[in-house]
Amino acid sequence: MTGDDLAALADRVFADPEAAATLEVASEDAEVLALLVEYARRRQHRNNRDPLAQKRAMTLFRSFLNAEQQSQLRRRGFIYTQVPSGNVYRICPRVALTMRAERHGKRIYGVTSYCYHDAGHELPPADLALAHLLLLLADEDEFLRAANATDRRMQWDGAWRRKLNQARRARSHAA
Amino acid sequence: METLEGHARETLEIPDASGHMTVRWDPDNPEEVAEVQGVVDRLKAQGYSFFEAEGEPGAMTIRREPTPLARKNRGPRRHVAIRPLAGG
């Protein structure tokens, strides 16, 4: 499939994902089509979402937080929660992003992020964040078993950070 | 689904596409309990998980429970019903 073909296919999919899902394409392009349809469906759900839903969901989410977590949420947009196993998680209700966090020196890094959501992507992000919070506090093992984990460990890898800082210094010298 | 009003001591929050829905009931009122039991049964059939939160935020105990109406003679509690989730 050429770039123009792909762009044309994407236009059709985004115009009507449900009709595009039944399109007949070459077998090697079927995976691309499935990914485009999935992405278009999610975008459609996001756009069709009740604008007040996230606000209401945030109210419910906040009602489960202690004073310190409410302050974290106001200042930084996410909260930290320590679960019974001792692990610390960072939960961002704006995008329903949950990460396991570790302290290294003065900084706290997200080392693993978790994707765990409802089938239709209908729930507002704050409701998903609440589900993550409750499941982590009540049954962390189940959460870890069911959620899709992505390793983000490079963020606190010493060698990687040294290279990053070196590049930043070089850039500032050049400027 | 109808939201029950009255001298409620327990609440069931059901997150949905509209934000969430709250069902309140008095555990000492058999009619309200029966009505909530119907709601819970429908949600269980759809694969929802139930969580119970007891205490004030900050010192809250969260438990996973098979059904919010199973235990009795306890202080005010909040329940949350979460629809089935999957890793993606």
Side-chain angles (χ1 to χ4, degrees), chain B residues 14-35:
Chain B
I14 309 166
D16 58 16
S18 71
H20 63 276
M21 181 165 45
T22 305
V23 179
R24 297 186 176 86
W25 76 96
D26 177 356
D28 296 327
N29 183 333
E31 280 178 22
E32 287 186 6
V33 170
E35 200 165 338

Short mmCIF file of all heavy atoms in Angstrom, two decimals, chain B residues 14-35:
data_model
loop_
_atom_site.label_atom_id
_atom_site.label_comp_id
_atom_site.label_asym_id
_atom_site.label_seq_id
_atom_site.Cartn_x
_atom_site.Cartn_y
_atom_site.Cartn_z
N ILE B 14 -22.11 3.68 40.62
CA ILE B 14 -21.94 2.86 39.41
C ILE B 14 -21.36 3.75 38.31
O ILE B 14 -22.11 4.48 37.65
CB ILE B 14 -23.28 2.25 38.96
CG1 ILE B 14 -23.97 1.55 40.14
CG2 ILE B 14 -23.07 1.28 37.81
CD1 ILE B 14 -25.41 1.21 39.88
N PRO B 15 -20.04 3.75 38.12
CA PRO B 15 -19.45 4.55 37.05
C PRO B 15 -19.98 4.13 35.68
O PRO B 15 -20.10 2.94 35.40
CB PRO B 15 -17.94 4.26 37.16
CG PRO B 15 -17.75 3.83 38.57
CD PRO B 15 -19.01 3.08 38.92
N ASP B 16 -20.35 5.11 34.88
CA ASP B 16 -20.83 4.82 33.52
C ASP B 16 -20.43 5.96 32.60
O ASP B 16 -19.71 6.87 33.02
CB ASP B 16 -22.35 4.57 33.51
CG ASP B 16 -23.12 5.76 34.05
OD1 ASP B 16 -22.54 6.85 34.15
OD2 ASP B 16 -24.31 5.61 34.36
N ALA B 17 -20.91 5.92 31.38
CA ALA B 17 -20.50 6.92 30.39
C ALA B 17 -20.92 8.33 30.77
O ALA B 17 -20.38 9.31 30.27
CB ALA B 17 -21.07 6.54 29.02
N SER B 18 -21.89 8.46 31.67
CA SER B 18 -22.37 9.79 32.06
C SER B 18 -21.60 10.33 33.27
O SER B 18 -21.92 11.38 33.76
CB SER B 18 -23.85 9.73 32.40
OG SER B 18 -24.02 9.04 33.61
N GLY B 19 -20.61 9.61 33.75
CA GLY B 19 -19.89 10.01 34.95
C GLY B 19 -20.09 8.93 35.99
O GLY B 19 -19.26 8.05 36.13
N HIS B 20 -21.22 8.95 36.67
CA HIS B 20 -21.58 7.83 37.53
C HIS B 20 -23.02 8.00 37.99
O HIS B 20 -23.58 9.08 37.91
CB HIS B 20 -20.65 7.73 38.75
CG HIS B 20 -20.73 8.90 39.66
ND1 HIS B 20 -20.01 10.04 39.45
CD2 HIS B 20 -21.47 9.13 40.77
CE1 HIS B 20 -20.29 10.91 40.40
NE2 HIS B 20 -21.17 10.40 41.21
N MET B 21 -23.57 6.91 38.47
CA MET B 21 -24.92 6.94 39.00
C MET B 21 -24.85 6.46 40.45
O MET B 21 -24.04 5.58 40.77
CB MET B 21 -25.77 5.98 38.18
CG MET B 21 -27.20 5.93 38.59
SD MET B 21 -28.16 5.13 37.31
CE MET B 21 -27.18 3.73 36.90
N THR B 22 -25.65 7.07 41.31
CA THR B 22 -25.60 6.70 42.72
C THR B 22 -26.93 6.10 43.15
O THR B 22 -27.98 6.66 42.88
CB THR B 22 -25.32 7.95 43.59
OG1 THR B 22 -24.13 8.56 43.12
CG2 THR B 22 -25.14 7.57 45.05
N VAL B 23 -26.85 4.94 43.78
CA VAL B 23 -28.04 4.31 44.35
C VAL B 23 -27.88 4.35 45.86
O VAL B 23 -26.83 3.97 46.39
CB VAL B 23 -28.17 2.84 43.87
CG1 VAL B 23 -29.40 2.19 44.49
CG2 VAL B 23 -28.23 2.77 42.37
N ARG B 24 -28.89 4.88 46.57
CA ARG B 24 -28.82 4.96 48.03
C ARG B 24 -29.92 4.10 48.63
O ARG B 24 -31.00 4.01 48.08
CB ARG B 24 -29.02 6.40 48.49
CG ARG B 24 -27.96 7.34 48.01
CD ARG B 24 -28.12 8.71 48.62
NE ARG B 24 -27.04 9.57 48.23
CZ ARG B 24 -27.01 10.29 47.10
NH1 ARG B 24 -28.03 10.23 46.27
NH2 ARG B 24 -25.97 11.03 46.80
N TRP B 25 -29.61 3.50 49.76
CA TRP B 25 -30.65 2.72 50.42
C TRP B 25 -30.41 2.63 51.92
O TRP B 25 -29.30 2.86 52.39
CB TRP B 25 -30.75 1.32 49.79
CG TRP B 25 -29.66 0.36 50.17
CD1 TRP B 25 -29.72 -0.58 51.16
CD2 TRP B 25 -28.37 0.23 49.56
NE1 TRP B 25 -28.54 -1.29 51.20
CE2 TRP B 25 -27.70 -0.80 50.23
CE3 TRP B 25 -27.72 0.89 48.52
CZ2 TRP B 25 -26.41 -1.19 49.89
CZ3 TRP B 25 -26.44 0.51 48.18
CH2 TRP B 25 -25.80 -0.53 48.86
N ASP B 26 -31.50 2.33 52.60
CA ASP B 26 -31.44 2.14 54.04
C ASP B 26 -31.40 0.63 54.28
O ASP B 26 -32.36 -0.07 53.95
CB ASP B 26 -32.69 2.77 54.66
CG ASP B 26 -32.74 2.56 56.16
OD1 ASP B 26 -31.85 1.87 56.70
OD2 ASP B 26 -33.68 3.08 56.78
N PRO B 27 -30.32 0.12 54.87
CA PRO B 27 -30.22 -1.34 55.03
C PRO B 27 -31.27 -1.93 55.96
O PRO B 27 -31.47 -3.14 55.99
CB PRO B 27 -28.80 -1.54 55.58
CG PRO B 27 -28.37 -0.23 56.07
CD PRO B 27 -29.13 0.82 55.35
N ASP B 28 -31.95 -1.06 56.72
CA ASP B 28 -32.99 -1.56 57.63
C ASP B 28 -34.36 -1.61 56.96
O ASP B 28 -35.33 -2.03 57.58
CB ASP B 28 -33.06 -0.67 58.87
CG ASP B 28 -31.76 -0.74 59.66
OD1 ASP B 28 -31.14 -1.83 59.66
OD2 ASP B 28 -31.35 0.28 60.23
N ASN B 29 -34.41 -1.13 55.73
CA ASN B 29 -35.69 -1.11 55.02
C ASN B 29 -35.72 -2.27 54.00
O ASN B 29 -35.05 -2.21 52.97
CB ASN B 29 -35.84 0.24 54.30
CG ASN B 29 -37.17 0.36 53.60
OD1 ASN B 29 -37.78 -0.62 53.21
ND2 ASN B 29 -37.62 1.59 53.44
N PRO B 30 -36.48 -3.34 54.29
CA PRO B 30 -36.46 -4.53 53.42
C PRO B 30 -36.85 -4.25 51.97
O PRO B 30 -36.32 -4.87 51.05
CB PRO B 30 -37.46 -5.47 54.08
CG PRO B 30 -37.71 -4.94 55.44
CD PRO B 30 -37.39 -3.49 55.43
N GLU B 31 -37.78 -3.29 51.78
CA GLU B 31 -38.22 -2.99 50.41
C GLU B 31 -37.06 -2.40 49.60
O GLU B 31 -36.82 -2.78 48.45
CB GLU B 31 -39.39 -2.01 50.43
CG GLU B 31 -40.71 -2.68 50.74
CD GLU B 31 -41.83 -1.66 50.81
OE1 GLU B 31 -41.69 -0.56 50.23
OE2 GLU B 31 -42.84 -1.96 51.45
N GLU B 32 -36.36 -1.44 50.22
CA GLU B 32 -35.24 -0.81 49.52
C GLU B 32 -34.12 -1.83 49.27
O GLU B 32 -33.52 -1.87 48.20
CB GLU B 32 -34.68 0.36 50.34
CG GLU B 32 -35.59 1.56 50.34
CD GLU B 32 -34.98 2.77 51.02
OE1 GLU B 32 -33.79 2.71 51.40
OE2 GLU B 32 -35.68 3.78 51.17
N VAL B 33 -33.89 -2.68 50.26
CA VAL B 33 -32.84 -3.69 50.11
C VAL B 33 -33.18 -4.63 48.96
O VAL B 33 -32.31 -4.97 48.13
CB VAL B 33 -32.64 -4.49 51.43
CG1 VAL B 33 -31.72 -5.68 51.20
CG2 VAL B 33 -32.07 -3.58 52.51
N ALA B 34 -34.45 -5.02 48.86
CA ALA B 34 -34.86 -5.94 47.79
C ALA B 34 -34.67 -5.27 46.42
O ALA B 34 -34.23 -5.91 45.45
CB ALA B 34 -36.32 -6.34 47.99
N GLU B 35 -34.99 -3.96 46.37
CA GLU B 35 -34.84 -3.26 45.09
C GLU B 35 -33.37 -3.16 44.68
O GLU B 35 -33.01 -3.38 43.53
CB GLU B 35 -35.46 -1.86 45.21
CG GLU B 35 -35.78 -1.28 43.86
CD GLU B 35 -36.71 -0.08 43.96
OE1 GLU B 35 -37.42 0.06 44.97
OE2 GLU B 35 -36.70 0.71 43.02
#
